[in-house]
Amino acid sequence: MFRRVGWVAAAVALSGFLLRRSGLWSDGEPRPLTGRDGQPLPGSLSEKVFIEVDGLRQGMFIRTRDPSHPVLLYLHGGMPEYFLAERYPEPLEQDFTVAWWEQRGAGLSWSPRIPAGTLTSEQLVADTLAVTDYLRGRFGQRRVYLMGHSGGSFIGLQAAARAPDRYHAYIGTAQMVDQLRSEMLAYAYMLGRFRELGDDRMVRRLDAVPVTAGGGTPPGYLALRDTAMHRLGIGTTHEMTSVVTGIIWPSLRCRGYTPREKAALWRAKLASGVSPLWTEMLSTDLADCVPRLELPFYLLHGVHDRTCSYDLARSYAEHVEAPLKGFYTFTDSAHSPIFEEPQRAHRILHEDVLAGTNHLADDWT
């Protein structure tokens, strides 16, 4: 009996050791911001925060070199992207106090008890404004910056249009516009490219699940979408070829989440699919819903992005009315330009967005 208990204790200890060595076990404490010497920066802030938003406990990571910096609220896409900021060098925390908020039904803000009927754009816009007000109050700033990425841009653009007085500017990265049309364009592109490459198996699989205006995005297409996009370099990043090594593994190794929070991250993703708002996104053309904005408007978009169409975003930027606007093409990026080309992103944010200009924007003439 005692020998068996000893073996079990040894196995548990070994499992814990291996989990720590692999990075899969973590205490949930976000990494500190460090200087060139590798030591934590004096006066910096790196924390995980939970607040009550319309009856639901919601979480976010807040990171900054200096809490007096302008606040930037980051709205993630189909799933939280904070863990990518630990893998890729990113420019946001150099000039901003960044709130990586994890939205209702996702990551730190996931709960099996959330009524499905509350996962609507109306609710998420209201949540965005509530989180904005929390940040304004906590950091003593009348306005903050709002950045929406991919699916987060669907919410962010509507929030900025509804409450421009709360924001210095809206920054869209991989901006969503007319997502059904974007999916149709992506489908046609992928089918053509796989034919050119002679990948008959992928062609047959795509042929069986066409994306159309009437039929939308069939479940078979959505099951294939990420794999197909990453093979062609038109998914999360231009260089990322595998969802497993590029997304799943880094998320499981992220030290900012506890093991339970990592499980919730993926339970939420599996429950929601592409997005809990997917049906609403496919039926909405933001160019019609938000034809004008009353605040500066910036779009950063990778030219290789087919997850959210580069061409549709550029066309929207050309036609939307705003007191100041700029569209910025990232020639080496797909769906995540701030991670893929961080130096260019930092220059745009520092020299144009914070200065309230558009000198670095594409020339449309």
Side-chain angles (χ1 to χ4, degrees):
M1 174 66 178
F2 292 108
R3 181 177 296 178
R4 184 180 302 167
V5 171
W7 277 110
V8 170
V12 170
L14 179 60
S15 297
F17 172 76
L18 292 175
L19 285 172
R20 286 174 172 82
R21 291 285 292 177
S22 68
L24 297 180
W25 185 91
S26 51
D27 59 10
E29 290 295 323
R31 60 182 173 83
L33 279 82
T34 57
R36 292 183 179 179
D37 59 359
Q39 298 302 308
L41 283 174
S44 63
L45 177 66
S46 179
E47 64 179 20
K48 183 164 55 180
V49 178
F50 292 91
I51 63 172
E52 192 84 6
V53 180
D54 199 4
L56 180 70
R57 184 174 182 260
Q58 301 195 30
M60 70 189 83
F61 295 95
I62 300 179
R63 290 170 56 80
T64 183
R65 292 173 177 270
D66 183 343
S68 69
H69 282 168
V71 172
L72 184 145
L73 172 56
Y74 183 91
L75 308 183
H76 63 77
M79 69 179 293
E81 297 142 24
Y82 169 75
F83 64 87
L84 287 178
E86 290 200 343
R87 181 173 185 182
Y88 293 92
E90 52 83 26
L92 302 181
E93 291 148 5
Q94 296 184 48
D95 291 314
F96 298 95
T97 294
V98 186
W100 298 86
W101 168 47
E102 308 206 341
Q103 302 153 21
R104 177 181 297 261
L108 297 174
S109 305
W110 179 81
S111 167
R113 295 180 294 278
I114 298 175
T118 68
L119 294 175
T120 65
S121 63
E122 184 66 27
Q123 179 64 63
L124 286 172
V125 168
D127 286 358
T128 300
L129 299 181
V131 173
T132 296
D133 287 343
Y134 162 76
L135 295 170
R136 292 166 67 212
R138 175 174 174 179
F139 292 99
Q141 299 186 18
R142 192 167 66 88
R143 296 174 187 250
V144 306
Y145 289 87
L146 182 63
M147 176 178 282
H149 175 237
S150 187
S153 72
F154 182 77
I155 300 301
L157 187 65
Q158 295 181 73
R162 183 171 302 183
D165 57 308
R166 289 173 166 91
Y167 302 107
H168 291 292
Y170 171 73
I171 308 119
T173 66
Q175 178 67 46
M176 187 176 284
V177 181
D178 181 348
Q179 194 57 26
L180 178 54
R181 189 176 170 200
S182 177
E183 296 296 332
M184 293 168 63
L185 291 170
Y187 174 80
Y189 174 83
M190 290 190 289
L191 195 57
R193 281 293 294 136
F194 283 119
R195 282 188 176 129
E196 290 174 4
L197 295 170
D199 191 334
D200 295 335
R201 183 172 183 271
M202 185 62 82
V203 169
R204 286 195 301 271
R205 294 175 72 187
L206 285 169
D207 263 332
V209 287
V211 178
T212 63
T217 55
Y221 165 74
L222 294 179
L224 185 61
R225 177 177 182 263
D226 278 355
T227 298
M229 285 187 170
H230 283 88
R231 276 199 205 173
L232 297 176
I234 59 174
T236 306
T237 73
H238 189 43
E239 301 300 323
M240 188 184 296
T241 58
S242 168
V243 177
V244 174
T245 59
I247 300 291
I248 296 176
W249 186 245
S251 73
L252 296 178
R253 288 175 58 86
C254 179
R255 62 181 283 182
Y257 298 103
T258 65
R260 177 175 290 184
E261 289 166 348
K262 293 174 186 178
L265 184 73
W266 283 101
R267 287 183 69 183
K269 178 60 178 174
L270 292 172
S272 64
V274 180
S275 167
L277 305 181
W278 190 240
T279 300
E280 199 173 343
M281 289 172 173
L282 292 180
S283 63
T284 303
D285 184 349
L286 288 174
D288 292 335
C289 297
V290 188
R292 65 183 58 84
L293 289 162
E294 297 177 15
L295 75 171
F297 169 79
Y298 300 93
L299 293 190
L300 285 58
H301 216 107
V303 74
H304 302 287
D305 188 4
R306 302 278 175 167
T307 306
C308 292
S309 169
Y310 167 87
D311 292 331
L312 293 181
R314 185 180 177 91
S315 177
Y316 176 59
E318 289 178 359
H319 294 97
V320 69
E321 297 178 18
L324 178 74
K325 61 183 181 179
F327 186 87
Y328 303 81
T329 297
F330 285 68
T331 57
D332 296 324
S333 296
H335 195 53
S336 306
I338 67 166
F339 296 132
E340 297 177 82
E341 298 180 63
Q343 292 180 339
R344 173 163 165 71
H346 175 252
R347 187 180 176 205
I348 291 165
L349 292 169
H350 186 78
E351 296 184 22
D352 269 9
V353 175
L354 283 173
T357 68
N358 59 2
H359 299 319
L360 301 176
D362 292 5
D363 185 358
W364 286 326
T365 59

